[in-house]
């Protein structure tokens, strides 16, 4: 019996060792550097590293720009998650109401957007909204209007691209959940005179709650750590850093300013925040498992 208890861990051991090498050691190095004075001089081996303790975190938390970037990151991620869920859920419902050919076409188009690499999609969107050659300005009659010049217009442009490449996951997942709902339940709601919105709010959404929790938490994690879209579409964070988010801010600190210790401290802060979101996700999943 004792041997049987350890058998699952023996099967998991190769995967756990691989994860330890790919995740645990880099996280350890990230945390270690965040407690040191680590600049270009230390990278070049010219000077020994100096232990700073919490000095890097004190410097980071006393920087007003950090709090501005953190607030911008939270608001931007919240807007992306909300828009992604609305678009994904609406299209999932639409998939249940159209015929096979339109449904297949929509699924293929969505999966094509999902499969497009982030840097490729970002480059295409920049071209579409280019003030000189982009077709969007010509169709809308905006002339040489630059979408990436203003802070809010640039964030809006990036939001559209993030939603475009993220909604297929929500759409496919919610669609699978909708197909699993017994038709008798929806028929009973229709016979009771419930509208489409009332049926979704009172019948469909509660049944899909575990799925909606999963896609919401995963969308929060993905959108909170957006890097490629912001970096490519705003030229590294926008004019004077007006479109910085935490991931790009950490990159600028570490590689543009050679302040690797501050960049690592920002990475640790992001890690702690995302671990908090993950713990909430796991707790909700355990609660849903008990209720089911």
């Amino acid at each position: 019996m004792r041997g049987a208890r350890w058998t699952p861990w023996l099967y998991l051991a190769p995967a756990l060792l691989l994860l330890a090498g790919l995740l645990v050691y880099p996280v350890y190095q990230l945390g270690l550097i965040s407690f040191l004075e680590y600049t270009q001089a230390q990278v070049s081996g010219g000077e020994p590293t100096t232990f700073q303790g919490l000095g890097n975190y004190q410097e980071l938390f006393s920087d007003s720009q950090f709090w501005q970037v953190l607030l911008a990151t939270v608001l931007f991620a919240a807007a992306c998650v909300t828009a992604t869920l609305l678009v994904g859920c609406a299209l999932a419902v639409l998939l249940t109401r159209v015929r096979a050919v339109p449904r297949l076409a929509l699924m293929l188009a969505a999966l094509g957007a999902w499969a497009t690499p982030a840097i490729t999609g970002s480059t295409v969107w920049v071209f579409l909204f280019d003030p000189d050659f982009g077709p969007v300005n010509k169709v809308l009659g905006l002339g040489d209007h630059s979408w990436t010049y203003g802070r809010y217009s640039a964030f809006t442009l990036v939001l559209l691209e993030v939603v475009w490449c993220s909604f297929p996951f929500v759409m496919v997942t919610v669609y699978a959940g909708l197909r699993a709902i017994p038709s008798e339940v929806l028929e009973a709601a229709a016979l009771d005179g419930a509208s489409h919105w009332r049926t979704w709010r009172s019948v469909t959404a509660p049944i899909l709650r575990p799925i909606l929790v999963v896609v919401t938490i995963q969308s929060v994690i993905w959108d909170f750590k957006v890097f490629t879209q912001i970096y490519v579409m705003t030229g590294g964070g926008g004019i004077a850093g007006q479109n910085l988010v935490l991931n790009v801010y950490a990159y600028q600190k570490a590689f543009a300013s050679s302040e690797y210790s501050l960049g690592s401290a920002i990475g640790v802060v992001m890690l702690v925040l995302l671990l908090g979101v993950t713990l909430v996700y796991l707790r909700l999943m355990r609660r849903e498992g008990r209720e089911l």
Side-chain angles (χ1 to χ4, degrees):
M1 294 297 293
R2 285 185 180 178
R5 186 177 62 181
W6 291 101
T7 300
W9 292 103
L10 293 177
Y11 285 110
L12 291 173
L16 293 177
L17 290 175
L18 181 61
L19 288 175
L22 293 177
L23 296 177
V24 176
Y25 182 73
V27 169
Y28 162 74
Q29 286 293 329
L30 181 72
L32 178 62
I33 293 175
S34 71
F35 291 106
L36 302 175
E37 181 185 357
Y38 209 85
T39 61
Q40 188 60 45
Q42 283 73 41
V43 173
S44 304
E47 299 179 12
T49 56
T50 304
F51 183 73
Q52 296 288 320
L54 297 176
N56 292 318
Y57 292 95
Q58 292 174 352
E59 181 179 351
L60 183 65
F61 294 149
S62 62
D63 186 1
S64 60
Q65 186 183 20
F66 166 75
W67 296 105
Q68 293 172 5
V69 173
L70 176 60
L71 177 61
T73 304
V74 172
L75 294 177
F76 177 72
C80 288
V81 171
T82 302
T84 301
L85 290 175
L86 290 176
V87 173
C89 291
L91 291 178
V93 174
L94 178 62
L95 285 176
T96 63
R97 300 181 181 278
V98 298
R99 296 182 180 273
V101 174
R103 181 166 61 246
L104 178 61
L106 179 56
M107 290 283 285
L108 291 176
L111 293 177
W114 195 12
T116 302
I119 190 169
T120 303
S122 300
T123 304
V124 171
W125 275 76
V126 169
F127 167 74
L128 291 175
F129 288 84
D130 184 85
D132 297 319
F133 306 104
V136 174
N137 279 9
K138 294 180 180 178
V139 171
L140 298 179
L142 297 178
D144 59 352
H145 171 72
S146 176
W147 290 81
T148 57
Y149 184 79
R151 183 188 188 194
Y152 297 107
S153 61
F155 268 130
T156 300
L157 181 59
V158 178
L159 181 146
L160 293 174
E161 200 281 335
V162 170
V163 173
W164 174 77
C165 67
S166 301
F167 84 84
F169 168 74
V170 178
M171 184 190 75
V172 172
T173 306
V174 174
Y175 174 71
L178 288 172
R179 299 297 295 180
I181 296 177
S183 58
E184 295 83 0
V185 176
L186 300 178
E187 291 174 0
L191 290 175
D192 288 339
S195 62
H196 293 311
W197 168 245
R198 182 62 184 273
T199 301
W200 167 264
R201 184 168 60 88
S202 302
V203 179
T204 308
I207 295 176
L208 293 179
R209 185 171 57 181
I211 292 177
L212 294 176
V213 169
V214 170
V215 297
T216 300
I217 298 298
Q218 291 189 346
S219 296
V220 168
I221 294 173
W222 290 342
D223 295 340
F224 190 81
K225 59 186 184 68
V226 164
F227 174 85
T228 304
Q229 291 89 339
I230 289 285
Y231 192 84
V232 172
M233 299 179 72
T234 66
I239 300 172
Q242 64 181 1
N243 296 113
L244 284 175
V245 292
L246 279 180
N247 243 348
V248 181
Y249 184 55
Y251 177 85
Q252 297 287 11
K253 284 291 184 182
F255 297 102
S257 303
S258 297
E259 297 181 271
Y260 299 99
S261 52
L262 282 179
S264 298
I266 297 171
V268 171
V269 171
M270 289 188 62
L271 178 63
V272 171
L273 292 174
L274 291 177
L275 280 177
V277 174
T278 303
L279 290 176
V280 172
Y281 162 69
L282 294 176
R283 185 173 181 179
L284 289 173
M285 286 297 93
R286 175 178 291 186
R287 183 182 302 173
E288 295 292 342
R290 290 201 200 102
E291 292 178 358
L292 294 175

